[in-house]
């Protein structure tokens, strides 16, 4: 067993094989021939002193150690990408003025975001803040891989592991239904009632998310969801603040038993950015 640190190249090779579970497809993905890829994985196993993959006539499978390295390897590669992106951003325009990239879910957080940006802009020496609208469930990944320096995230259920954060607000949730639906006039609904509306399934979201998973269509952006709700093809559960993006064809009904949702400003725990620290202090005063 060799204690020499793993190389980025080795992790890239292993993650490709572990995700494809096929050496030929992994080699094609990496733009290399299969034999040197197989030899590289064998050398990696010898260095670590553990079996990472099982290979037989049925194909390739991960061992327990392989599952661990896949998880750790993905995280390590994300950190190297993040380091490169943030370094380039810090050096842009000669590094004369720091710039922060703030990821937000498209169509959400309007009022909170406006207050935060206005308050921060009034601070002496405030950095430039680029607001980067993103899809549902993307904010955490964008923080981890360096596309964003800071993000607005709903909690629960999203994980804040590896992040520092400042809570901005806590609010209830609403069911979003077609405006003409018979339940749209109700004063409130329960989660069970919303999950059992005939012909109006709850939308599904890609990746981990705390909203009810539902049997309905998978949603990737706010416009798609808005259209499906307006057409009577789906329902959704959102924080109360989401009513700001609703159309006239939508209705929001308070949920009596939905868990409260907190909105956090979150950033990587290892950040040493003075501009980000000032933004966090501003958020804490709001």
């Amino acid at each position: 067993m060799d204690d020499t640190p793993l190389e980025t190249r080795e992790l890239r090779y292993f993650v490709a094989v572990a995700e494809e579970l096929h050496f030929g497809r992994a080699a094609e993905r990496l733009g290399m021939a299969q034999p040197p890829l197989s030899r590289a994985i064998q050398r990696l196993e010898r260095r670590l002193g553990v079996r990472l993959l099982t290979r037989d006539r049925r194909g390739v499978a991960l061992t327990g150690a392989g599952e661990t390295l896949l998880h750790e390897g993905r995280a390590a590669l994300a950190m190297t990408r993040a380091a490169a992106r943030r370094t380039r951003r810090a050096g842009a325009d000669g590094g004369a003025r720091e710039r922060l990239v703030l990821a937000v879910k498209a169509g959400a957080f309007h009022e909170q975001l406006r207050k935060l940006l206005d308050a921060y802009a009034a601070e002496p020496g405030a950095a430039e803040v680029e607001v980067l609208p993103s899809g549902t469930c993307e904010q955490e990944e964008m923080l981890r891989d360096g596309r964003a320096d800071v993000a607005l995230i709903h909690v629960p259920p999203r994980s804040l592991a590896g992040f520092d954060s400042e809570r901005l607000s806590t609010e209830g949730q609403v069911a979003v239904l077609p405006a003409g639906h018979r339940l749209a006039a109700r004063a409130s609904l329960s989660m069970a009632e919303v999950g059992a509306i005939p012909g109006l399934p709850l939308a599904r979201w890609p990746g981990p998310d705390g909203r009810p998973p539902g049997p309905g269509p998978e949603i990737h952006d706010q416009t798609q969801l808005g259209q499906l709700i307006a057409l009577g093809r789906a329902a959704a559960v959102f924080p109360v603040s989401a009513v700001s993006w609703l159309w006239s064809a939508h209705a929001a009904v308070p949920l009596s038993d939905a868990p409260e949702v907190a909105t956090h400003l979150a950033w990587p725990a290892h950040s040493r950015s003075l501009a980000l620290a000032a933004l966090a202090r501003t958020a804490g005063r709001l």
Side-chain angles (χ1 to χ4, degrees):
M1 184 170 58
D2 187 344
D3 286 334
T4 304
L6 296 177
E7 298 177 4
T8 301
R9 175 179 55 83
E10 293 176 306
L11 290 177
R12 285 180 51 245
Y13 288 178
F14 174 74
V15 168
V17 174
E19 289 180 344
E20 299 291 344
L21 292 179
H22 189 281
F23 277 86
R25 289 194 298 270
E28 184 177 356
R29 170 174 153 182
L30 293 164
M32 63 187 297
Q34 182 175 334
L37 175 60
S38 297
R39 290 193 294 270
I41 297 301
Q42 290 169 355
R43 287 195 298 270
L44 179 59
E45 289 180 317
R46 287 196 297 271
R47 282 186 57 200
L48 294 174
V50 295
R51 178 68 67 87
L52 300 170
L53 303 162
T54 59
R55 311 162 181 82
D56 56 33
R57 286 176 296 180
R58 292 175 295 179
V60 178
L62 288 169
T63 65
E67 292 278 3
T68 297
L69 185 57
L70 175 58
H71 174 77
E72 298 289 346
R74 282 170 170 163
L77 290 173
M79 289 183 68
T80 62
R81 289 192 294 269
R85 284 172 172 147
R86 292 192 174 108
T87 300
R88 291 189 191 103
R89 201 149 56 235
D93 301 322
R97 184 186 181 193
E98 188 169 358
R99 179 167 63 94
L100 297 175
V101 176
L102 170 61
V104 299
K105 187 175 72 175
F109 307 111
H110 297 301
E111 190 61 23
Q112 286 178 322
L113 183 56
R114 183 189 62 77
K115 289 180 180 178
L116 174 61
L117 293 178
D118 286 351
Y120 178 63
E123 294 290 323
E128 175 188 353
V129 179
E130 177 187 347
V131 177
L132 186 61
S134 57
T136 301
C137 309
E138 288 185 344
Q139 294 81 25
E140 288 177 40
E141 182 182 351
M142 294 171 76
L143 282 182
R144 296 189 195 281
D145 69 14
R147 284 177 289 167
D149 302 299
V150 60
L152 287 176
I153 297 178
H154 283 317
V155 182
R158 300 180 195 276
S159 168
L160 289 176
F163 300 137
D164 287 335
S165 67
E166 181 73 42
R167 188 167 69 176
L168 302 184
S169 65
T170 302
E171 59 188 321
Q173 300 193 72
V174 295
V176 182
L177 311 175
H181 194 274
R182 61 180 178 81
L183 295 178
R186 287 274 298 273
S188 67
L189 292 168
S190 69
M191 293 289 287
E193 287 175 314
V194 175
I197 302 174
L200 205 62
L202 283 166
R204 291 182 292 115
W205 300 88
D209 198 288
R211 302 185 182 96
E218 184 169 291
I219 303 302
H220 296 275
D221 62 64
Q222 213 90 322
T223 301
Q224 178 191 19
L225 175 59
Q227 185 172 27
L228 288 171
I229 294 173
L231 291 171
R233 300 298 181 92
V237 173
F238 272 97
V240 170
S241 57
V243 299
S244 62
W245 69 265
L246 297 188
W247 307 351
S248 60
H250 300 155
V253 182
L255 287 166
S256 60
D257 57 352
E260 287 195 324
V261 173
T263 299
H264 283 241
L265 185 73
W267 59 92
H270 63 268
S271 175
R272 296 295 180 268
S273 166
L274 296 179
L276 202 157
L279 180 65
R281 288 194 299 270
T282 302
R285 291 195 295 267
L286 293 179

